[in-house]
Amino acid sequence: MKLSDYVVAFLQKKGIRHFFGYQGTMIAHLVDSIERNPDTENHSSYNEQGAAFAACGYAQAKEECACAYATSGPGAVNLLSGVADAYYDSLPVIFLTGQLNTYEYSGIKGLRQQGFQETDIVAMAKPITKYAVQIRDAEDIVTELNKAYHIATTGRRGPVLIDLPMNIQRGEVENPVYDMEFEEDVCGVEVEEAVETASAHILHGTDEAVRAICDELEQAKRPVIMLGHGVDSAVSQQKLIRFARSRQIPIITSVLAKSVLAYDDPQNFGCIGGAYGHRYANMIANAKSDLLLCFGISLCTRQIGTKVNEFAKGAKIIRIDLDPYNLQRNIHENGENEIKILAETGTLIQALDKVPCREQEGISDWMVVCSEIRENLQAVDDALPERYPNRMIGELSDMLKDTGAIAVDVGQHMVWSYQSFKNREGQKLLFSGGHGAMGYALPAAIGAYYATGKPTACICGDGAFQMNIQELEWVKRENLPVKIMVMNNEALGMIRHLQRDYFDCLFAGTTDGCGFASCDFSKVAAAYGIPSCRMHCEDVKEEAPQFMEGQGPKLLEVMLEHGTFAYPKTCLGEPIHNQQPYAPKSVYDHLMAL
């Protein structure tokens, strides 16, 4: 069996039907095998970064493994931003790269380059993959491919990279194996060291962890569940929500986990955010709770603010995480009033789901308090004239209610989207979280379409959209049902806001006439053959619905004022529950006294 045929057949048997990449000499055998396999489809991007982000969007939307490929040298290097995105957001993606024939290597140590378009992609990718390896002998592919897939899909999931020299791709596999057994964690030595370093106070056993959680819940009067992307199974998510409903515990999510709960779910109390989180979520978690149950959420500075030790000082924090490295970090000073549990969130949630619910005095009153905080602070934000883009995003979400997934790019529009997009039950919002990569949304929406089989959408800013604008040809070529919204304020709005506050309004590289400019995106889309429309923000509610109807791709360009802002925003040094523009003192004091 030809080796490249085996690689494709292996991944197809693991459920990967769609492959994203860009053709090249050193990867041609693999692409030929994808094309010849009757059960797989090859999808060509116009930059390898687009292929990588499409694979990330596929993995996010389907919650399963994805695959992207590239040729050697510049092709492989172009994948790396998507590799990093998958690594930081724990997405199981198999990256396959072509490489020089093994016989072209000279064996001369220190030689800068062995041949044309050669790059040591394994060394470059190792810091941002769970596993990266070059195959030097065809006989190794069976073990290495099985091992790489196992690593990508178990434990804290993430990307792997396999570098395939051209002569290896055309080699032979004599005994193809599609399901090898491995130890629970093939990188166990590193994990053991991380556990030892983390703390002697980490709980490991499920029974002990469940007892600790239940004991703390019995004592708590104001518990909150903080739900992160680490709860990556739909079954586990629903069991955790059921656990919260039965005990009347409010849920606050990370941005990546926003779509776990529908926007109008009574248990949903918003997204935590050190700078731009929901005002009410920040107040409930940081200032009002006495117990935070944190499932698969990193509690990084973007979530809880740069003054980490100041977060939720009046609450006990229980952190359930599969990654021992995350648990090495303390939130409270010296880890006081903090319980760390090293566990797979799904296993622990399943055990908690079996614990009988007990009546707790005062818990229903706590939900009333949280609801009052949400209602009052949401009213404060809804009244802010600066938040007109948020209101427009809410209007757009009504027009996109039938889409399976919405990929959101990076910038002010990302903040407006996670604050105000009204996601329905089962509708996924996809973000580039830890990596925060501009140019993510359009290819991610493409990948999400192949993952779900449903129409998708993407929301971009004018700066972010230009990063991978060439993938419009991919959308047109395959006539994909992707609705594209470009928020055009003719500026890099988030940095412009920063420059206004801290750089005396010197808008270097962010506005027209100062190193940045934007085009007419509706005309660009028309040049690609995609129906398009340009309108001002205030006209979206009345004019956009008719344009957005129908099948196939469309691009809607929404014109905004140059000086747009993302609010509420935590001012540097302020507690995260007291954001600008500040709530009226009477409202703030009343809610803090509840």
Side-chain angles (χ1 to χ4, degrees):
M1 183 179 193
K2 185 179 176 182
L3 187 143
S4 59
D5 289 345
Y6 165 68
V7 171
V8 174
F10 175 92
L11 295 174
Q12 181 268 318
K13 290 178 185 297
K14 298 298 185 184
I16 298 173
R17 179 183 174 189
H18 300 279
F19 291 74
F20 309 107
Y22 195 91
Q23 178 66 284
T25 300
M26 300 300 179
I27 200 67
H29 284 283
L30 179 78
V31 179
D32 182 76
S33 295
I34 297 168
E35 199 70 36
R36 292 178 186 278
N37 189 312
D39 297 315
T40 58
E41 294 183 34
N42 179 51
H43 305 287
S44 296
S45 64
Y46 289 87
N47 184 289
E48 292 87 355
Q49 187 184 105
F53 285 146
C56 290
Y58 181 100
Q60 275 190 308
K62 198 173 181 66
E63 297 181 357
E64 293 180 7
C65 199
C67 182
Y69 65 83
T71 193
S72 63
V77 172
N78 281 347
L79 285 177
L80 288 178
S81 193
V83 176
D85 185 79
Y87 186 65
Y88 298 125
D89 287 352
S90 306
L91 305 175
V93 182
I94 311 288
F95 290 95
L96 303 172
T97 53
Q99 192 54 271
L100 300 182
N101 296 296
T102 57
Y103 54 75
E104 294 184 68
Y105 285 82
S106 66
I108 300 173
K109 188 176 181 179
L111 190 63
R112 182 170 292 189
Q113 189 179 44
Q114 306 289 340
F116 178 66
Q117 289 191 335
E118 188 267 346
T119 294
D120 187 354
I121 196 65
V122 170
M124 296 177 73
K126 274 189 174 179
I128 50 172
T129 54
K130 289 188 72 181
Y131 186 65
V133 64
Q134 184 183 84
I135 307 299
R136 300 303 299 266
D137 191 321
E139 293 180 0
D140 295 337
I141 189 62
V142 173
T143 299
E144 291 292 352
L145 186 56
N146 275 274
K147 179 181 177 180
Y149 180 83
H150 174 82
I151 290 172
T153 56
T154 59
R156 181 176 179 180
R157 301 191 296 180
V160 297
L161 183 144
I162 301 178
D163 195 37
L164 296 168
M166 196 174 182
N167 62 312
I168 298 295
Q169 292 177 50
R170 63 177 182 265
E172 292 292 320
V173 177
E174 294 185 4
N175 298 302
V177 178
Y178 297 95
D179 195 12
M180 294 178 68
E181 294 291 330
F182 291 92
E183 295 294 329
E184 185 64 24
D185 194 321
V186 292
C187 301
V189 175
E190 290 184 13
V191 173
E192 285 177 14
E193 292 175 353
V195 171
E196 290 175 5
T197 307
S199 172
H201 303 294
I202 290 181
L203 301 181
H204 298 273
T206 300
D207 292 342
E208 185 181 6
V210 168
R211 280 196 302 271
I213 291 172
C214 292
D215 288 346
E216 295 298 334
L217 272 175
E218 285 187 12
Q219 298 177 49
K221 300 297 183 185
R222 298 188 167 197
V224 170
I225 287 175
M226 298 188 68
L227 192 159
H229 181 56
V231 184
D232 55 8
S233 153
V235 172
S236 297
Q237 291 164 0
Q238 292 309 308
K239 285 183 177 179
L240 185 58
I241 293 169
R242 184 168 65 201
F243 179 85
R245 284 198 213 288
S246 67
R247 290 157 176 80
Q248 286 294 285
I249 303 174
I251 297 176
I252 291 172
T253 72
S254 67
V255 170
L256 284 177
K258 173 179 166 59
S259 50
V260 171
L261 288 163
Y263 82 99
D264 57 353
D265 191 300
Q267 225 67 33
N268 186 350
F269 285 86
C271 293
I272 193 77
Y276 297 104
H278 284 113
R279 201 187 290 258
Y280 49 90
N282 285 1
M283 178 176 281
I284 291 168
N286 192 48
K288 305 301 293 183
S289 174
D290 63 3
L291 175 65
L292 297 179
L293 297 176
C294 305
F295 289 86
I297 184 169
S298 66
L299 302 184
C300 65
T301 55
R302 293 289 286 186
Q303 293 170 346
I304 65 175
T306 55
K307 293 185 176 182
V308 174
N309 294 155
E310 297 294 315
F311 177 70
K313 291 187 74 172
K316 189 153 199 171
I317 300 178
I318 300 180
R319 297 163 61 195
I320 302 99
D321 204 306
L322 184 61
D323 189 339
Y325 294 99
N326 270 343
L327 295 180
Q328 288 185 29
R329 298 167 47 246
N330 291 325
I331 305 303
H332 289 158
E333 192 168 358
N334 300 319
E336 294 179 2
N337 215 21
E338 192 172 335
I339 298 175
K340 301 174 183 180
I341 299 172
L342 183 66
E344 200 280 317
T345 55
T347 301
L348 191 55
I349 289 167
Q350 184 175 355
L352 283 171
D353 188 52
K354 298 176 182 177
V355 176
C357 179
R358 298 180 184 177
E359 290 289 332
Q360 284 184 255
E361 186 178 346
I363 291 296
S364 60
D365 295 337
W366 167 229
M367 283 291 289
V368 172
V369 168
C370 290
S371 297
E372 185 171 349
I373 292 171
R374 179 175 57 191
E375 181 180 340
N376 279 268
L377 293 183
Q378 188 63 61
V380 169
D381 284 334
D382 288 346
L384 294 174
E386 300 95 334
R387 279 171 54 93
Y388 74 92
N390 290 75
R391 290 184 277 277
M392 179 266 297
I393 290 290
E395 293 160 0
L396 278 174
S397 64
D398 290 333
M399 304 172 207
L400 298 172
K401 61 185 178 181
D402 294 327
T403 53
I406 301 90
V408 184
D409 227 302
V410 175
Q412 285 182 327
H413 57 282
M414 178 182 182
V415 176
W416 300 330
S417 296
Y418 71 68
Q419 288 178 345
S420 300
F421 193 96
K422 296 184 287 187
N423 59 293
R424 273 63 178 184
E425 186 174 354
Q427 187 179 48
K428 290 182 177 290
L429 289 177
L430 313 178
F431 300 93
S432 174
H435 194 42
M438 294 173 68
Y440 155 87
L442 177 58
I446 293 171
Y449 163 70
Y450 293 115
T452 65
K454 299 178 181 179
T456 61
C458 67
I459 299 175
C460 307
D462 52 308
F465 190 61
Q466 293 183 85
M467 293 280 185
N468 278 312
I469 196 170
Q470 75 282 342
E471 304 309 341
L472 285 173
E473 182 61 33
W474 185 356
V475 173
K476 174 59 180 176
R477 185 190 73 222
E478 301 196 14
N479 193 35
L480 304 178
V482 178
K483 300 292 192 300
I484 304 158
M485 274 64 64
V486 182
M487 310 292 123
N488 190 354
N489 58 5
E490 299 180 305
L492 299 180
M494 189 164 281
I495 307 304
R496 190 182 186 280
H497 190 173
L498 175 77
Q499 291 168 327
R500 187 203 70 170
D501 290 347
Y502 297 104
F503 293 93
D504 298 325
C505 293
L506 178 60
F507 300 125
T510 59
T511 56
D512 193 10
C514 204
F516 180 83
S518 293
C519 60
D520 185 327
F521 293 100
S522 64
K523 290 182 179 178
V524 172
Y528 277 104
I530 295 174
S532 62
C533 183
R534 192 185 223 205
M535 64 183 64
H536 289 283
C537 183
E538 60 268 24
D539 299 324
V540 166
K541 185 175 182 179
E542 296 298 325
E543 298 181 12
Q546 184 175 357
F547 171 74
M548 298 289 279
E549 289 179 357
Q551 303 298 313
K554 291 191 177 182
L555 184 143
L556 173 65
E557 182 178 9
V558 180
M559 303 304 297
L560 307 169
E561 298 173 7
H562 291 189
T564 53
F565 300 99
Y567 285 127
K569 179 185 179 183
T570 305
C571 183
L572 191 64
E574 291 273 17
I576 68 169
H577 62 273
N578 192 24
Q579 297 165 286
Q580 293 182 336
Y582 297 116
K585 189 174 185 303
S586 58
V587 174
Y588 179 82
D589 289 347
H590 167 69
L591 297 178
M592 289 295 288
L594 290 175

